Amino acid sequence: MIISFTRSNYLYPWQSRSHTNNFSLIQNNLPSPFVCSEREIMEVVVVIVGAGPAGLATSACLNLHSIPNIVLEREDCSASLWRKHTYDRIKLHLGKQFCALPHMPFPPHAPTFVPKSGFLCYLDNYISEFDLNPFYNRKVESAFYSEDNQKWQVQAMNTTSNVLEHYVAQFLVVATGDNSLGVIPRLPGLETFRGEYMHSSEYKNGKKYVNQDVLVVGAGNSGMEIAYDLSSTGANTSLSVRGKVHVLTKELVYLGMSLLQYLPCKIVDLIILILRRLQFGDLADYGLQQPENGPFYIKAITGQSPTIDVGAMPKIKTGDIRIYPEISKVEGSKVVFANGKVDQFDAIIFATGYKSTVLNWLKHEDNLFNEDGMPRQKFPNHWRGEKGLYCVGFAQRGLAGISKDAQNVADDIHRML
């Protein structure tokens, strides 16, 4: 049995608000929502894997081109990283005009730096506005290109019904991003640690750590903000910093992003770093070494963002948050640092980033992604592969990069049809 989704029977919000399902199914008496048996094959023009901002934006852009698409999401909700794996106080670190998804700006009354609850509300409204209907609880097991029919074959386990579903598509969009799985480094002796340790994706707030000695590993945005949250709620907080880092306020980043529209990156970096020094002084005095290149140059070349301070720097300057170098090894409850210092902690929180897991299920593909599951081509030529394969959300340029990728992919697919 084959269920096809065709362009002629696809409905959009501006055509009708009365329908309850995006797809008119070429199959009599099929329930909506439906559960497929193992013999049923669902055929559609585009399959999108991942219902985070990248997948939602891509689906919306395809909808505007009247291109039928399905979004497969392993979790039971959209934007699961934001809903389930971010700490309570997180906000968008860039101004809202740099974070909107395609074709829908943030409302005028939204604050410049949107909090977690506001961003999730925006995403829910985005789903409603473009009539998006992700298929939740679909864990993609494999996807490969069949030379026989020149289409993508995608198998996904419906974790609600425990049925393996088969999708066939002319185009496949990988929208799982580079943050699928939290990474905890392999530290000598970590298995002997007597306290609690976790990845930052599991951290919610500091209430349970009052009066405890907590070490945060990593001085990126998550690490710096979690350290601030812990210190503010009464934990004895330390921060392990491995490399060099630019620390800016969100206002300085906002100013820099605005200036980049009119001035060369080199000039913007110079202005921002002068203003940063006036505000914070020499960060090396507090154990934070500054990279040789400017923050916006680094962002443009590598995709690595500067760390945005939300209140940790004043605590670092007063010693309320102690700075340590990278960890050398762990011995029970003690942590040995690269400079030879040893201290004891009750908990360690690793804000040490994420990695892509796309190669766990994307088979026999060696053109678009490298061995780390990241695009082989550098930005801005990273999003298109061969045989109808695309990726969205791998540019390491935040929501603005996601928005651009989604539009590029949808426009390219539209030209191909």
Side-chain angles (χ1 to χ4, degrees):
M1 183 184 298
I2 298 178
I3 306 167
S4 298
F5 305 135
T6 65
R7 302 182 82 169
S8 60
N9 57 32
Y10 193 85
L11 297 177
Y12 291 91
W14 48 88
Q15 296 172 316
S16 171
R17 288 288 182 179
S18 62
H19 64 283
T20 58
N21 185 17
N22 262 355
F23 303 104
S24 296
L25 304 178
I26 307 177
Q27 173 63 33
N28 293 332
N29 301 319
L30 191 67
S32 175
F34 59 90
V35 177
C36 299
S37 75
E38 292 178 282
R39 295 184 299 276
E40 289 172 340
I41 299 173
M42 286 165 280
E43 188 164 350
V44 69
V45 178
V46 185
V47 164
I48 302 165
V49 181
L56 299 177
T58 305
S59 184
C61 291
L62 289 169
N63 286 359
L64 291 174
H65 283 305
S66 298
I67 300 173
N69 62 90
I70 289 176
V71 182
L72 302 178
E73 169 55 48
R74 65 184 179 183
E75 300 283 354
D76 60 359
C77 62
S78 64
S80 61
L81 182 65
W82 275 89
R83 295 183 197 275
K84 297 182 177 182
H85 301 291
T86 53
Y87 39 95
D88 295 342
R89 74 161 63 234
I90 192 172
K91 293 183 179 181
L92 295 179
H93 291 133
L94 299 180
K96 61 183 179 182
Q97 65 266 50
F98 303 112
C99 298
L101 297 183
H103 311 295
M104 196 177 102
F106 282 90
H109 63 267
T112 301
F113 301 98
V114 179
K116 175 180 178 177
S117 59
F119 183 57
L120 290 175
C121 181
Y122 169 82
L123 290 179
D124 289 338
N125 289 336
Y126 194 84
I127 290 171
S128 176
E129 177 66 24
F130 294 101
D131 205 24
L132 309 180
N133 289 286
F135 287 16
Y136 297 120
N137 299 304
R138 263 63 172 200
K139 182 183 178 183
V140 174
E141 302 285 351
S142 69
F144 65 92
Y145 186 79
S146 171
E147 296 291 351
D148 292 338
N149 63 2
Q150 297 186 328
K151 290 186 178 181
W152 287 92
Q153 313 294 313
V154 181
Q155 290 189 330
M157 177 60 69
N158 184 327
T159 55
T160 300
S161 63
N162 201 33
V163 169
L164 189 64
E165 299 173 349
H166 188 186
Y167 302 84
V168 177
Q170 187 174 348
F171 303 96
L172 176 65
V173 181
V174 180
T176 51
D178 58 356
N179 52 9
S180 295
L181 182 66
V183 174
I184 294 179
R186 295 180 179 178
L187 294 174
L190 182 59
E191 70 280 0
T192 71
F193 185 64
R194 295 173 185 170
E196 174 190 40
Y197 71 88
M198 68 176 71
H199 188 264
S200 59
S201 59
E202 303 303 316
Y203 176 86
K204 295 302 179 184
N205 57 64
K207 294 178 181 178
K208 63 183 287 188
Y209 300 105
V210 175
N211 296 322
Q212 293 191 33
D213 297 309
V214 185
L215 176 65
V216 180
V217 182
N221 282 311
S222 294
M224 193 72 82
E225 191 158 359
I226 289 172
Y228 171 71
D229 188 56
L230 284 164
S231 181
S232 298
T233 51
N236 303 315
T237 308
S238 300
L239 183 67
S240 173
V241 182
R242 179 179 181 181
K244 298 179 179 180
V245 59
H246 282 296
V247 181
L248 306 175
T249 65
K250 60 182 182 293
E251 290 80 12
L252 285 177
V253 172
Y254 181 84
L255 174 62
M257 296 285 287
S258 301
L259 290 176
L260 283 171
Q261 300 177 55
Y262 309 101
L263 297 174
C265 181
K266 184 176 181 179
I267 301 301
V268 174
D269 276 337
L270 179 62
I271 293 171
I272 296 303
L273 289 178
I274 289 173
L275 294 174
R276 195 281 310 275
R277 190 178 182 91
L278 289 173
Q279 183 164 4
F280 291 143
D282 187 353
L283 298 185
D285 295 340
Y286 310 102
L288 299 172
Q289 300 296 323
Q290 177 178 298
E292 288 75 19
N293 294 314
F296 292 103
Y297 175 83
I298 293 175
K299 176 67 174 175
I301 297 301
T302 69
Q304 180 181 349
S305 299
T307 296
I308 300 175
D309 177 54
V310 296
M313 278 307 304
K315 289 179 171 291
I316 291 172
K317 294 171 74 172
T318 60
D320 291 328
I321 297 176
R322 293 175 294 174
I323 300 295
Y324 286 95
E326 65 177 305
I327 297 174
S328 176
K329 61 182 177 179
V330 178
E331 297 177 340
S333 60
K334 295 179 180 179
V335 175
V336 181
F337 296 94
N339 62 357
K341 289 186 177 181
V342 180
D343 212 335
Q344 187 167 312
F345 297 96
D346 300 304
I348 305 175
I349 298 171
F350 289 94
T352 43
Y354 296 81
K355 69 177 181 179
S356 166
T357 59
V358 60
L359 297 185
N360 291 353
W361 52 268
L362 184 61
K363 309 300 182 181
H364 315 302
E365 195 288 312
D366 59 2
N367 174 260
L368 183 57
F369 295 99
N370 63 22
E371 60 277 6
D372 295 322
M374 295 296 290
R376 291 186 180 276
Q377 298 297 320
K378 299 295 184 182
F379 174 88
N381 302 312
H382 60 285
W383 52 272
R384 178 170 55 190
E386 297 177 349
K387 302 176 181 178
L389 179 64
Y390 299 88
C391 67
V392 175
F394 289 81
Q396 296 183 304
R397 278 162 172 78
L399 291 163
I402 284 173
S403 181
K404 185 64 175 175
D405 283 354
Q407 293 176 84
N408 283 338
V409 168
D411 291 346
D412 197 64
I413 291 175
H414 183 246
R415 284 192 294 267
M416 299 282 286
L417 293 174

